[in-house]
mmCIF file of all heavy atoms in Angstrom:
data_model
loop_
_atom_site.group_PDB
_atom_site.id
_atom_site.type_symbol
_atom_site.label_atom_id
_atom_site.label_comp_id
_atom_site.label_asym_id
_atom_site.label_seq_id
_atom_site.Cartn_x
_atom_site.Cartn_y
_atom_site.Cartn_z
ATOM 1 N N VAL A 1 -19.754 6.971 7.685
ATOM 2 C CA VAL A 1 -19.477 7.308 6.284
ATOM 3 C C VAL A 1 -19.793 8.770 5.958
ATOM 4 O O VAL A 1 -18.998 9.476 5.353
ATOM 5 C CB VAL A 1 -20.140 6.332 5.330
ATOM 6 C CG1 VAL A 1 -20.049 6.793 3.890
ATOM 7 C CG2 VAL A 1 -19.549 4.948 5.506
ATOM 8 N N ASP A 2 -21.001 9.162 6.341
ATOM 9 C CA ASP A 2 -21.442 10.525 5.966
ATOM 10 C C ASP A 2 -20.480 11.598 6.486
ATOM 11 O O ASP A 2 -20.179 12.527 5.789
ATOM 12 C CB ASP A 2 -22.860 10.769 6.465
ATOM 13 C CG ASP A 2 -23.867 9.928 5.704
ATOM 14 O OD1 ASP A 2 -23.569 9.514 4.581
ATOM 15 O OD2 ASP A 2 -24.952 9.675 6.264
ATOM 16 N N ARG A 3 -20.099 11.431 7.773
ATOM 17 C CA ARG A 3 -19.188 12.426 8.350
ATOM 18 C C ARG A 3 -17.809 12.318 7.707
ATOM 19 O O ARG A 3 -17.091 13.310 7.555
ATOM 20 C CB ARG A 3 -19.081 12.222 9.858
ATOM 21 C CG ARG A 3 -18.284 13.318 10.568
ATOM 22 C CD ARG A 3 -18.447 13.211 12.068
ATOM 23 N NE ARG A 3 -18.110 11.895 12.562
ATOM 24 C CZ ARG A 3 -18.152 11.530 13.839
ATOM 25 N NH1 ARG A 3 -18.546 12.394 14.759
ATOM 26 N NH2 ARG A 3 -17.796 10.326 14.235
ATOM 27 N N ALA A 4 -17.382 11.114 7.348
ATOM 28 C CA ALA A 4 -15.998 10.939 6.769
ATOM 29 C C ALA A 4 -15.909 11.572 5.418
ATOM 30 O O ALA A 4 -14.847 12.124 5.058
ATOM 31 C CB ALA A 4 -15.698 9.452 6.654
ATOM 32 N N LEU A 5 -16.982 11.559 4.631
ATOM 33 C CA LEU A 5 -16.916 12.117 3.268
ATOM 34 C C LEU A 5 -16.873 13.657 3.203
ATOM 35 O O LEU A 5 -16.744 14.222 2.162
ATOM 36 C CB LEU A 5 -18.121 11.621 2.482
ATOM 37 C CG LEU A 5 -18.180 10.131 2.178
ATOM 38 C CD1 LEU A 5 -19.429 9.759 1.481
ATOM 39 C CD2 LEU A 5 -16.929 9.695 1.363
ATOM 40 N N GLN A 6 -16.994 14.315 4.368
ATOM 41 C CA GLN A 6 -16.997 15.753 4.423
ATOM 42 C C GLN A 6 -15.575 16.300 4.394
ATOM 43 O O GLN A 6 -15.382 17.519 4.165
ATOM 44 C CB GLN A 6 -17.690 16.261 5.695
ATOM 45 C CG GLN A 6 -19.153 15.899 5.678
ATOM 46 C CD GLN A 6 -19.865 16.312 7.015
ATOM 47 O OE1 GLN A 6 -19.210 16.903 7.866
ATOM 48 N NE2 GLN A 6 -21.140 15.973 7.136
ATOM 49 N N GLY A 7 -14.577 15.472 4.581
ATOM 50 C CA GLY A 7 -13.193 15.923 4.608
ATOM 51 C C GLY A 7 -12.651 16.304 3.278
ATOM 52 O O GLY A 7 -12.902 15.627 2.269
ATOM 53 N N THR A 8 -11.879 17.391 3.213
ATOM 54 C CA THR A 8 -11.246 17.842 1.987
ATOM 55 C C THR A 8 -9.717 17.892 2.213
ATOM 56 O O THR A 8 -9.272 18.617 3.136
ATOM 57 C CB THR A 8 -11.720 19.213 1.561
ATOM 58 O OG1 THR A 8 -13.145 19.154 1.412
ATOM 59 C CG2 THR A 8 -11.099 19.636 0.270
ATOM 60 N N PRO A 9 -8.905 17.160 1.486
ATOM 61 C CA PRO A 9 -7.466 17.161 1.730
ATOM 62 C C PRO A 9 -6.827 18.493 1.407
ATOM 63 O O PRO A 9 -7.265 19.239 0.536
ATOM 64 C CB PRO A 9 -6.926 16.072 0.785
ATOM 65 C CG PRO A 9 -7.965 15.968 -0.297
ATOM 66 C CD PRO A 9 -9.280 16.312 0.338
ATOM 67 N N LEU A 10 -5.729 18.760 2.108
ATOM 68 C CA LEU A 10 -4.868 19.961 1.880
ATOM 69 C C LEU A 10 -3.579 19.550 1.214
ATOM 70 O O LEU A 10 -2.739 18.952 1.912
ATOM 71 C CB LEU A 10 -4.648 20.726 3.195
ATOM 72 C CG LEU A 10 -5.899 21.172 3.943
ATOM 73 C CD1 LEU A 10 -5.495 21.792 5.272
ATOM 74 C CD2 LEU A 10 -6.675 22.201 3.092
ATOM 75 N N PRO A 11 -3.406 19.756 -0.081
ATOM 76 C CA PRO A 11 -2.193 19.253 -0.757
ATOM 77 C C PRO A 11 -0.930 19.863 -0.170
ATOM 78 O O PRO A 11 -0.918 20.979 0.369
ATOM 79 C CB PRO A 11 -2.401 19.702 -2.229
ATOM 80 C CG PRO A 11 -3.877 19.892 -2.347
ATOM 81 C CD PRO A 11 -4.328 20.398 -1.013
ATOM 82 N N LEU A 12 0.161 19.146 -0.340
ATOM 83 C CA LEU A 12 1.444 19.580 0.138
ATOM 84 C C LEU A 12 2.096 20.564 -0.833
ATOM 85 O O LEU A 12 1.807 20.528 -2.029
ATOM 86 C CB LEU A 12 2.356 18.388 0.366
ATOM 87 C CG LEU A 12 1.998 17.431 1.485
ATOM 88 C CD1 LEU A 12 2.856 16.181 1.424
ATOM 89 C CD2 LEU A 12 2.134 18.089 2.820
ATOM 90 N N PRO A 13 3.004 21.452 -0.398
ATOM 91 C CA PRO A 13 3.691 22.350 -1.323
ATOM 92 C C PRO A 13 4.606 21.615 -2.291
ATOM 93 O O PRO A 13 5.045 20.476 -2.007
ATOM 94 C CB PRO A 13 4.465 23.270 -0.360
ATOM 95 C CG PRO A 13 4.582 22.545 0.916
ATOM 96 C CD PRO A 13 3.331 21.706 1.013
ATOM 97 N N ALA A 14 4.994 22.228 -3.364
ATOM 98 C CA ALA A 14 5.756 21.605 -4.384
ATOM 99 C C ALA A 14 7.170 21.135 -3.937
ATOM 100 O O ALA A 14 7.707 20.180 -4.413
ATOM 101 C CB ALA A 14 5.863 22.478 -5.626
ATOM 102 N N TRP A 15 7.737 21.913 -3.005
ATOM 103 C CA TRP A 15 9.128 21.588 -2.592
ATOM 104 C C TRP A 15 9.201 20.239 -1.859
ATOM 105 O O TRP A 15 10.343 19.703 -1.712
ATOM 106 C CB TRP A 15 9.665 22.690 -1.688
ATOM 107 C CG TRP A 15 8.981 22.850 -0.347
ATOM 108 C CD1 TRP A 15 7.964 23.695 -0.050
ATOM 109 C CD2 TRP A 15 9.270 22.122 0.829
ATOM 110 N NE1 TRP A 15 7.584 23.551 1.234
ATOM 111 C CE2 TRP A 15 8.377 22.599 1.812
ATOM 112 C CE3 TRP A 15 10.181 21.129 1.198
ATOM 113 C CZ2 TRP A 15 8.358 22.094 3.114
ATOM 114 C CZ3 TRP A 15 10.164 20.601 2.451
ATOM 115 C CH2 TRP A 15 9.289 21.076 3.458
ATOM 116 N N THR A 16 8.097 19.684 -1.431
ATOM 117 C CA THR A 16 8.142 18.418 -0.688
ATOM 118 C C THR A 16 8.266 17.185 -1.614
ATOM 119 O O THR A 16 8.449 16.090 -1.094
ATOM 120 C CB THR A 16 6.903 18.259 0.197
ATOM 121 O OG1 THR A 16 5.700 18.271 -0.643
ATOM 122 C CG2 THR A 16 6.773 19.416 1.201
ATOM 123 N N VAL A 17 8.116 17.375 -2.929
ATOM 124 C CA VAL A 17 8.068 16.256 -3.807
ATOM 125 C C VAL A 17 9.365 15.419 -3.765
ATOM 126 O O VAL A 17 9.310 14.180 -3.601
ATOM 127 C CB VAL A 17 7.809 16.716 -5.274
ATOM 128 C CG1 VAL A 17 7.956 15.550 -6.250
ATOM 129 C CG2 VAL A 17 6.364 17.276 -5.335
ATOM 130 N N LEU A 18 10.507 16.100 -3.929
ATOM 131 C CA LEU A 18 11.782 15.355 -3.956
ATOM 132 C C LEU A 18 12.079 14.591 -2.644
ATOM 133 O O LEU A 18 12.457 13.405 -2.695
ATOM 134 C CB LEU A 18 12.934 16.262 -4.323
ATOM 135 C CG LEU A 18 12.990 16.714 -5.779
ATOM 136 C CD1 LEU A 18 14.128 17.679 -5.994
ATOM 137 C CD2 LEU A 18 13.093 15.539 -6.723
ATOM 138 N N PRO A 19 11.938 15.227 -1.466
ATOM 139 C CA PRO A 19 12.111 14.428 -0.217
ATOM 140 C C PRO A 19 11.179 13.255 -0.127
ATOM 141 O O PRO A 19 11.579 12.166 0.344
ATOM 142 C CB PRO A 19 11.870 15.453 0.844
ATOM 143 C CG PRO A 19 12.113 16.811 0.242
ATOM 144 C CD PRO A 19 11.696 16.613 -1.185
ATOM 145 N N ILE A 20 9.911 13.420 -0.550
ATOM 146 C CA ILE A 20 8.985 12.304 -0.468
ATOM 147 C C ILE A 20 9.344 11.182 -1.448
ATOM 148 O O ILE A 20 9.234 9.990 -1.146
ATOM 149 C CB ILE A 20 7.565 12.804 -0.715
ATOM 150 C CG1 ILE A 20 7.101 13.695 0.467
ATOM 151 C CG2 ILE A 20 6.555 11.680 -0.908
ATOM 152 C CD1 ILE A 20 5.818 14.373 0.261
ATOM 153 N N LEU A 21 9.818 11.584 -2.645
ATOM 154 C CA LEU A 21 10.274 10.568 -3.604
ATOM 155 C C LEU A 21 11.489 9.820 -3.074
ATOM 156 O O LEU A 21 11.628 8.579 -3.299
ATOM 157 C CB LEU A 21 10.608 11.196 -4.945
ATOM 158 C CG LEU A 21 9.426 11.662 -5.787
ATOM 159 C CD1 LEU A 21 9.892 12.361 -7.051
ATOM 160 C CD2 LEU A 21 8.481 10.477 -6.187
ATOM 161 N N LEU A 22 12.400 10.483 -2.405
ATOM 162 C CA LEU A 22 13.555 9.833 -1.757
ATOM 163 C C LEU A 22 13.089 8.851 -0.696
ATOM 164 O O LEU A 22 13.635 7.743 -0.599
ATOM 165 C CB LEU A 22 14.495 10.869 -1.228
ATOM 166 C CG LEU A 22 15.766 10.291 -0.498
ATOM 167 C CD1 LEU A 22 16.584 9.489 -1.481
ATOM 168 C CD2 LEU A 22 16.607 11.430 0.100
ATOM 169 N N LEU A 23 12.114 9.281 0.087
ATOM 170 C CA LEU A 23 11.545 8.369 1.104
ATOM 171 C C LEU A 23 10.919 7.135 0.446
ATOM 172 O O LEU A 23 11.165 5.988 0.904
ATOM 173 C CB LEU A 23 10.477 9.117 1.924
ATOM 174 C CG LEU A 23 9.713 8.286 2.969
ATOM 175 C CD1 LEU A 23 10.611 7.849 4.086
ATOM 176 C CD2 LEU A 23 8.552 9.089 3.530
ATOM 177 N N ALA A 24 10.186 7.334 -0.629
ATOM 178 C CA ALA A 24 9.592 6.204 -1.321
ATOM 179 C C ALA A 24 10.663 5.247 -1.910
ATOM 180 O O ALA A 24 10.559 4.052 -1.799
ATOM 181 C CB ALA A 24 8.697 6.720 -2.451
ATOM 182 N N ALA A 25 11.725 5.853 -2.492
ATOM 183 C CA ALA A 25 12.828 5.028 -3.081
ATOM 184 C C ALA A 25 13.477 4.194 -1.984
ATOM 185 O O ALA A 25 13.774 2.998 -2.230
ATOM 186 C CB ALA A 25 13.822 5.952 -3.762
ATOM 187 N N ALA A 26 13.762 4.764 -0.827
ATOM 188 C CA ALA A 26 14.384 4.003 0.237
ATOM 189 C C ALA A 26 13.463 2.857 0.725
ATOM 190 O O ALA A 26 13.952 1.741 0.989
ATOM 191 C CB ALA A 26 14.690 4.948 1.424
ATOM 192 N N ALA A 27 12.163 3.126 0.789
ATOM 193 C CA ALA A 27 11.232 2.056 1.170
ATOM 194 C C ALA A 27 11.184 0.955 0.114
ATOM 195 O O ALA A 27 11.150 -0.234 0.451
ATOM 196 C CB ALA A 27 9.866 2.636 1.426
ATOM 197 N N PHE A 28 11.247 1.327 -1.162
ATOM 198 C CA PHE A 28 11.162 0.337 -2.218
ATOM 199 C C PHE A 28 12.411 -0.558 -2.217
ATOM 200 O O PHE A 28 12.337 -1.741 -2.610
ATOM 201 C CB PHE A 28 11.023 1.023 -3.575
ATOM 202 C CG PHE A 28 9.708 1.729 -3.776
ATOM 203 C CD1 PHE A 28 9.600 2.830 -4.616
ATOM 204 C CD2 PHE A 28 8.576 1.302 -3.110
ATOM 205 C CE1 PHE A 28 8.382 3.503 -4.816
ATOM 206 C CE2 PHE A 28 7.351 1.937 -3.274
ATOM 207 C CZ PHE A 28 7.267 3.048 -4.138
ATOM 208 N N VAL A 29 13.535 0.001 -1.833
ATOM 209 C CA VAL A 29 14.757 -0.828 -1.757
ATOM 210 C C VAL A 29 14.531 -2.027 -0.835
ATOM 211 O O VAL A 29 14.934 -3.150 -1.122
ATOM 212 C CB VAL A 29 15.956 0.005 -1.276
ATOM 213 C CG1 VAL A 29 17.143 -0.851 -0.894
ATOM 214 C CG2 VAL A 29 16.403 0.985 -2.372
ATOM 215 N N VAL A 30 13.864 -1.777 0.308
ATOM 216 C CA VAL A 30 13.592 -2.841 1.269
ATOM 217 C C VAL A 30 12.444 -3.749 0.845
ATOM 218 O O VAL A 30 12.553 -4.945 0.889
ATOM 219 C CB VAL A 30 13.359 -2.217 2.680
ATOM 220 C CG1 VAL A 30 13.055 -3.325 3.660
ATOM 221 C CG2 VAL A 30 14.542 -1.429 3.122
ATOM 222 N N ILE A 31 11.352 -3.107 0.386
ATOM 223 C CA ILE A 31 10.175 -3.887 0.033
ATOM 224 C C ILE A 31 10.460 -4.859 -1.122
ATOM 225 O O ILE A 31 10.041 -6.021 -1.083
ATOM 226 C CB ILE A 31 9.039 -2.943 -0.383
ATOM 227 C CG1 ILE A 31 8.555 -2.132 0.856
ATOM 228 C CG2 ILE A 31 7.844 -3.711 -0.964
ATOM 229 C CD1 ILE A 31 7.535 -1.065 0.557
ATOM 230 N N PHE A 32 11.228 -4.372 -2.112
ATOM 231 C CA PHE A 32 11.551 -5.212 -3.266
ATOM 232 C C PHE A 32 12.871 -5.930 -3.144
ATOM 233 O O PHE A 32 13.337 -6.533 -4.087
ATOM 234 C CB PHE A 32 11.514 -4.382 -4.525
ATOM 235 C CG PHE A 32 10.184 -3.747 -4.834
ATOM 236 C CD1 PHE A 32 10.076 -2.389 -5.103
ATOM 237 C CD2 PHE A 32 9.019 -4.509 -4.755
ATOM 238 C CE1 PHE A 32 8.843 -1.810 -5.371
ATOM 239 C CE2 PHE A 32 7.772 -3.916 -4.973
ATOM 240 C CZ PHE A 32 7.712 -2.571 -5.298
ATOM 241 N N ARG A 33 13.517 -5.788 -1.955
ATOM 242 C CA ARG A 33 14.737 -6.535 -1.632
ATOM 243 C C ARG A 33 15.864 -6.269 -2.615
ATOM 244 O O ARG A 33 16.448 -7.168 -3.189
ATOM 245 C CB ARG A 33 14.429 -8.065 -1.540
ATOM 246 C CG ARG A 33 13.497 -8.399 -0.411
ATOM 247 C CD ARG A 33 13.066 -9.886 -0.472
ATOM 248 N NE ARG A 33 12.341 -10.252 0.691
ATOM 249 C CZ ARG A 33 11.045 -10.081 0.891
ATOM 250 N NH1 ARG A 33 10.354 -9.447 -0.089
ATOM 251 N NH2 ARG A 33 10.400 -10.422 1.957
ATOM 252 N N ALA A 34 16.130 -5.008 -2.839
ATOM 253 C CA ALA A 34 17.195 -4.591 -3.721
ATOM 254 C C ALA A 34 18.479 -4.395 -2.897
ATOM 255 O O ALA A 34 18.473 -4.430 -1.665
ATOM 256 C CB ALA A 34 16.842 -3.285 -4.458
ATOM 257 N N ARG A 35 19.592 -4.190 -3.611
ATOM 258 C CA ARG A 35 20.827 -3.925 -2.937
ATOM 259 C C ARG A 35 20.871 -2.474 -2.458
ATOM 260 O O ARG A 35 20.354 -1.570 -3.154
ATOM 261 C CB ARG A 35 22.024 -4.171 -3.898
ATOM 262 C CG ARG A 35 22.169 -5.619 -4.317
ATOM 263 C CD ARG A 35 23.044 -5.742 -5.555
ATOM 264 N NE ARG A 35 23.299 -7.124 -5.932
ATOM 265 C CZ ARG A 35 23.845 -7.510 -7.083
ATOM 266 N NH1 ARG A 35 24.140 -6.568 -7.988
ATOM 267 N NH2 ARG A 35 24.040 -8.781 -7.331
ATOM 268 N N PRO A 36 21.532 -2.171 -1.345
ATOM 269 C CA PRO A 36 21.563 -0.756 -0.873
ATOM 270 C C PRO A 36 22.190 0.171 -1.867
ATOM 271 O O PRO A 36 21.739 1.345 -1.923
ATOM 272 C CB PRO A 36 22.356 -0.885 0.457
ATOM 273 C CG PRO A 36 22.232 -2.295 0.886
ATOM 274 C CD PRO A 36 22.124 -3.109 -0.374
ATOM 275 N N ARG A 37 23.218 -0.263 -2.560
ATOM 276 C CA ARG A 37 23.864 0.669 -3.520
ATOM 277 C C ARG A 37 23.042 1.055 -4.704
ATOM 278 O O ARG A 37 23.437 1.937 -5.490
ATOM 279 C CB ARG A 37 25.216 0.017 -4.006
ATOM 280 C CG ARG A 37 25.081 -1.181 -4.853
ATOM 281 C CD ARG A 37 26.428 -1.606 -5.375
ATOM 282 N NE ARG A 37 26.420 -2.741 -6.287
ATOM 283 C CZ ARG A 37 26.574 -4.033 -5.917
ATOM 284 N NH1 ARG A 37 26.771 -4.300 -4.657
ATOM 285 N NH2 ARG A 37 26.515 -4.962 -6.818
ATOM 286 N N GLU A 38 21.879 0.414 -4.856
ATOM 287 C CA GLU A 38 20.992 0.746 -5.971
ATOM 288 C C GLU A 38 20.012 1.823 -5.616
ATOM 289 O O GLU A 38 19.168 2.199 -6.465
ATOM 290 C CB GLU A 38 20.274 -0.521 -6.420
ATOM 291 C CG GLU A 38 21.216 -1.514 -7.203
ATOM 292 C CD GLU A 38 20.616 -2.893 -7.311
ATOM 293 O OE1 GLU A 38 19.622 -3.165 -6.649
ATOM 294 O OE2 GLU A 38 21.234 -3.709 -8.038
ATOM 295 N N LEU A 39 20.076 2.374 -4.383
ATOM 296 C CA LEU A 39 19.155 3.420 -3.961
ATOM 297 C C LEU A 39 19.219 4.647 -4.935
ATOM 298 O O LEU A 39 18.164 5.175 -5.323
ATOM 299 C CB LEU A 39 19.409 3.836 -2.549
ATOM 300 C CG LEU A 39 18.632 5.024 -2.004
ATOM 301 C CD1 LEU A 39 17.132 4.807 -2.128
ATOM 302 C CD2 LEU A 39 19.042 5.370 -0.578
ATOM 303 N N PRO A 40 20.426 5.162 -5.283
ATOM 304 C CA PRO A 40 20.422 6.333 -6.182
ATOM 305 C C PRO A 40 19.766 6.048 -7.528
ATOM 306 O O PRO A 40 19.060 6.916 -8.059
ATOM 307 C CB PRO A 40 21.926 6.605 -6.354
ATOM 308 C CG PRO A 40 22.581 6.057 -5.170
ATOM 309 C CD PRO A 40 21.787 4.799 -4.830
ATOM 310 N N TRP A 41 19.946 4.847 -8.051
ATOM 311 C CA TRP A 41 19.311 4.553 -9.333
ATOM 312 C C TRP A 41 17.791 4.449 -9.167
ATOM 313 O O TRP A 41 17.058 4.939 -10.039
ATOM 314 C CB TRP A 41 19.860 3.160 -9.842
ATOM 315 C CG TRP A 41 21.285 3.155 -10.152
ATOM 316 C CD1 TRP A 41 22.310 2.619 -9.399
ATOM 317 C CD2 TRP A 41 21.932 3.690 -11.323
ATOM 318 N NE1 TRP A 41 23.533 2.784 -10.023
ATOM 319 C CE2 TRP A 41 23.311 3.454 -11.207
ATOM 320 C CE3 TRP A 41 21.495 4.360 -12.469
ATOM 321 C CZ2 TRP A 41 24.238 3.836 -12.186
ATOM 322 C CZ3 TRP A 41 22.372 4.728 -13.425
ATOM 323 C CH2 TRP A 41 23.730 4.484 -13.289
ATOM 324 N N ILE A 42 17.320 3.873 -8.082
ATOM 325 C CA ILE A 42 15.873 3.778 -7.863
ATOM 326 C C ILE A 42 15.282 5.136 -7.652
ATOM 327 O O ILE A 42 14.198 5.471 -8.107
ATOM 328 C CB ILE A 42 15.618 2.810 -6.694
ATOM 329 C CG1 ILE A 42 16.009 1.388 -7.076
ATOM 330 C CG2 ILE A 42 14.155 2.873 -6.233
ATOM 331 C CD1 ILE A 42 15.854 0.372 -5.951
ATOM 332 N N PHE A 43 16.031 6.001 -6.912
ATOM 333 C CA PHE A 43 15.566 7.379 -6.684
ATOM 334 C C PHE A 43 15.400 8.106 -8.030
ATOM 335 O O PHE A 43 14.439 8.801 -8.290
ATOM 336 C CB PHE A 43 16.495 8.080 -5.763
ATOM 337 C CG PHE A 43 16.175 9.522 -5.468
ATOM 338 C CD1 PHE A 43 14.877 9.901 -5.188
ATOM 339 C CD2 PHE A 43 17.141 10.473 -5.466
ATOM 340 C CE1 PHE A 43 14.553 11.229 -4.938
ATOM 341 C CE2 PHE A 43 16.850 11.829 -5.219
ATOM 342 C CZ PHE A 43 15.536 12.195 -4.952
#
């Protein structure tokens, strides 16, 4: 624990937000069992 708590995260640049949100939306389509054509709406 003591050694683990020494880590400091390095945030991602702002341009990565939209690709990551698209990745999340695609995963949510499967996790929540939605229709594939609803991906743009979920995104």
